[in-house]
């Protein structure tokens, strides 16, 4: 961060680490504003959750500022499946409902807890974590990240639904099961990509 | 951040940049949890707002992780007066009500906007900013920071209610008014410290 | 800093975090040189001080290098009014005269001292600080910053002379005085902008 | 990095971000030396690979220096299963044999390639990646990381063999299969922990 | 590092800190691959060693990723003469042969050791270091750096063979010898530049 | 930098990256003050210059703040011999006299210039640089660094006067001269250490 403001300029015609900046004279308060997290999203994924980002791609004023938000909505039984953020720690605040949440360290130890409306939980940078709505009502959280573009790597999709495919022999050996089980998971997850 | 977890250990008997860490075997999920933002605080300050932090002092697991939250409650007419965070950008999400918010750049330009429930606004790192509830109902926001301990420097209090006092001649010259006006402000703000 | 030199190229036609770089073949020793702090500036501001920067805007070779200088000249009675640098710690060396200096922490504690020719004082990153020449002779300091463009937010001007104006009700509530006092300060500071 | 050397002192009796430092007078060249990667390790894991680290836990002189090495040995058919390093980019150099390697981006795109003795491949920070020896001879690589303690999160083990267990309903929903398949994988991976 | 990948695009027509990025659609696995360290280079320098870099100039995918490799080959008696890397710590792994290696701290203390095939030694960031093959067989090492472009400043060449020349009076005073000795060294080193 | 102030506490009994901090209640304005650069030092070195640091070892308040100063005094003909700072860029302001200054890039290109009272020159991070007083009057500069402890590696002393000694065969090969010349330089520089 080398000046007060470097509002992202996707029209700059040049790609740099982060984004090039708009001319100062074009900056307005709108560049620092976003209304897209105000309402629950419509959850129609197979896992029963929906993530809506409020990062530099939505709020150009966040460029170089190192922070962003997101909102996650969960149906009853909905899961935000195990994933990592390669570039950020996440801290969630429950807007509504109750969730079972957890993260796993590199020493393979799970830290988990149930959290309800108004409560907070931290998922340290880079570690695998998840949230599940085991209640019978919808739930939602607000997430904060110390990156303007934290990235998300959802592990089941990463392993079983990448393009091109991760080879079967990598997956059978990693999970110590046969091609049948691997292909079953692939078939279940693959259509979710389109 | 040089390991998965370095949970703050205020009992370590040593003060370092940030905090020393607890032994790994003492870490539990509670270290990453906080319930203190769940309910509105009781606002009885002269400015009509109350800030409640959810930083490393409250959530020891945040140590070295570079992110934190806070909650601000506003009475009708309440103000979170102009202040800076020396170590963080802030991004707010309106939990309830409507607020007039703004920040001023080092080029002395004000960017301001009215935001209501579910909307987001960004206050870039280190710049003076404020929020005011000009509605007739209470309001509240959730704030996120890219620091586990962002620090807050409330400017009227910093200038007119520090201990020891900032000398009168500094303030009269800075604000280009007389000792009478300066002492009036000092007397109004000073009691608020105790 | 990802190469030896990335000399700022304001003519690059693209705005990035910091500055784009000149072609290597155009770099000369002049890019690392500046003569503009050699002599006292002419102080004719209402506060009796003048700040002259020697940052990346004046010395293009400083781009990506994370350091800069400045010179401040003070008339007798002159004040460098309370301000912050959002992106740097400052360390001053007194070239001439004697100054009363101080900074205020986020715990609202003032640390202050008188310093004279050849002496040094530190103003930690982001904290409000000031210098005043209470002597009867001119004074001057050399300032060093750990940023090539530290930025300066002079608080009285930020609060009372921004464009557009910070609303009166924000200022009356923050300083706990009436519109009369606020408008008086605004009128005193406003003309200094032009 | 705030001095020339801060050699890790595990006996310091205090835990900090990274490690406390040895007294300077106790530092020797041995603190910067390690012989443990000289020979292939004995690979007897179910996946057919063995990772040997040469990080700050083995080379105390690496503390604060932000770099480390590792060696991976692969039997014919051996796999270093999909995993992430939360704190580092990895770059591998093939010492012997031939490997099929790949990483998947957060856009779920696989980049893969076969590499053989003397060739290099890069796995960007935080992204899921793997290497598999599809040849009929042993293989080995030297890995370099831009962290003195990069951490490794092996995903199948993280998801199916953590302690306590990741709940079945998280895994069945994430992988869209039944409890039978999940328990099968758990039973296959669990014994590998002891 | 503000996105998964920012593959260097030397054809971007703009010079920034590091490199501008290629369009995502043009990125391939080849951008993360390099074969140029597979074989020993032909050593015909006067010092008997050859350094081959595998940094962002060779592997465009390394841009923003903060790591790189290099290979050094040594004839019997060959020396990689005393030098610094302004932007990285180095860690070497001996591929073949035996070397006497050392670094000197700012307290002017030499840490040195003999290392042989498969052994590792660390050269802390910015400090002067060297390697010499005192054996009667060729030697080679693989070097890892925590920078995608560490830079190398070979000290004898820097002092005695720069363009334009470092003035004789700087060198005679620094080394406390006469112009004769300085000019002798200059003449010996100068032709090596072309 | 994770709090307002972390004043160095050399008496902490623990060594960490940087320094452990004093208890807040013991901090005074003196911790941010230094008078030791006010007067020229007495120059009696063989090279005719004297460097006086004003870093965290002298000003404990600088700990974690990332900036420091120094003063260099030069006799007529005095040289601050070629050296590097492993952890900082340097920017000098001439207090008195006139100096010939220069730095050399990793591409072995010298950038040099004469600077006089009040003028500024920049020496980029990690690169070899020097200053020489070719005038017939004393000179002095104030130096600023973007590190609280930049470190200095004076190259002639590093190479020819380290303890233990850098082996003769390293130096003869690096400088392409005989043992006689190397030993002559060693004998000239060695006594200067005591």
């Amino acid at each position: 961060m080398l000046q007060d403001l470097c509002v992202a300029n996707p029209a700059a015609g040049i790609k740099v680490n982060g984004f090039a900046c708009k001319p100062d004279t074009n900056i307005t308060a709108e560049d620092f504003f976003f209304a897209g997290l105000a309402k629950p999203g419509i959850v129609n994924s197979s896992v029963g959750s929906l993530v809506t980002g409020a990062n530099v791609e939505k709020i150009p004023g966040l460029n170089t500022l190192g922070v962003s938000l997101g909102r996650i909505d969960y149906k009853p039984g909905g899961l935000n499946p195990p994933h990592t953020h390669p570039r950020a720690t996440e801290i969630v605040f429950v807007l509504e409902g109750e969730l079972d949440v957890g993260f796993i360290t590199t020493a393979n130890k799970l830290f988990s807890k149930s959290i309800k409306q108004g409560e907070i939980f931290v998922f340290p940078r880079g570690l695998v974590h998840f949230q599940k709505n085991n209640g019978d009502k919808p739930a939602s959280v607000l997430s904060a990240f110390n990156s303007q573009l934290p990235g998300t790597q959802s592990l089941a999709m990463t392993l079983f639904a990448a393009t091109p495919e991760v080879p079967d022999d990598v997956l059978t050996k990693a999970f110590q099961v046969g091609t049948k089980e691997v292909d079953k998971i692939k078939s279940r997850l693959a259509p979710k990509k389109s």
Side-chain angles (χ1 to χ4, degrees), chain A:
Chain A
M1 196 193 159
L2 301 169
Q3 57 285 310
D4 285 3
L5 309 175
C6 169
V7 176
N9 183 8
I14 184 92
K15 226 174 147 269
V16 295
N17 190 22
F19 290 89
C21 328
K22 284 172 72 160
D24 279 359
T25 48
N26 294 358
I27 299 173
T28 73
E30 300 302 314
D31 290 316
F32 301 90
F33 171 77
F34 187 59
L37 301 193
K39 296 197 180 145
I42 298 171
V43 182
N44 57 16
S45 67
S46 61
V47 289
S49 72
L50 177 72
V51 178
T52 310
N55 54 40
V56 66
E57 294 177 339
K58 307 280 182 61
I59 310 177
L62 283 177
N63 193 33
T64 76
L65 294 183
V67 76
S68 63
L69 293 179
R71 175 189 179 119
I72 315 171
D73 294 296
Y74 312 81
K75 284 186 175 171
L79 172 73
N80 185 11
H83 62 282
T84 62
H85 303 291
R87 294 183 289 279
T89 291
E90 178 176 5
I91 179 168
V92 298
F93 172 90
V94 182
L95 294 170
E96 180 193 12
E98 186 166 347
L99 292 161
D100 294 325
V101 304
F103 68 83
I104 300 115
T105 68
T106 61
N108 232 12
K109 187 165 176 186
L110 171 69
F111 289 90
S112 66
K113 196 164 167 61
S114 286
I115 57 174
K116 57 180 197 296
Q117 190 176 338
E119 295 181 340
I120 286 171
F121 202 77
V122 177
F123 304 106
R125 180 185 297 245
L127 299 185
V128 173
H129 60 284
F130 59 87
Q131 304 102 27
K132 185 157 194 297
N133 178 5
N134 284 322
D136 52 9
K137 287 184 282 192
S140 59
V141 303
L142 193 75
S143 290
F145 301 91
N146 58 339
S147 164
Q148 64 253 29
L149 192 62
T152 296
Q153 195 146 38
S154 190
L155 299 179
M157 296 303 282
T158 298
L159 295 171
F160 291 90
T163 304
E165 292 187 18
V166 174
D168 274 14
D169 61 352
V170 168
L171 297 169
T172 53
K173 194 139 212 165
F175 289 92
Q176 299 277 303
V177 290
T179 305
K180 191 184 68 175
E181 284 86 353
V182 162
D183 287 351
K184 184 174 181 181
I185 300 175
K186 281 191 173 176
S187 71
R188 297 280 170 85
L189 295 177
K192 308 304 172 294
K193 288 177 63 190
S194 63

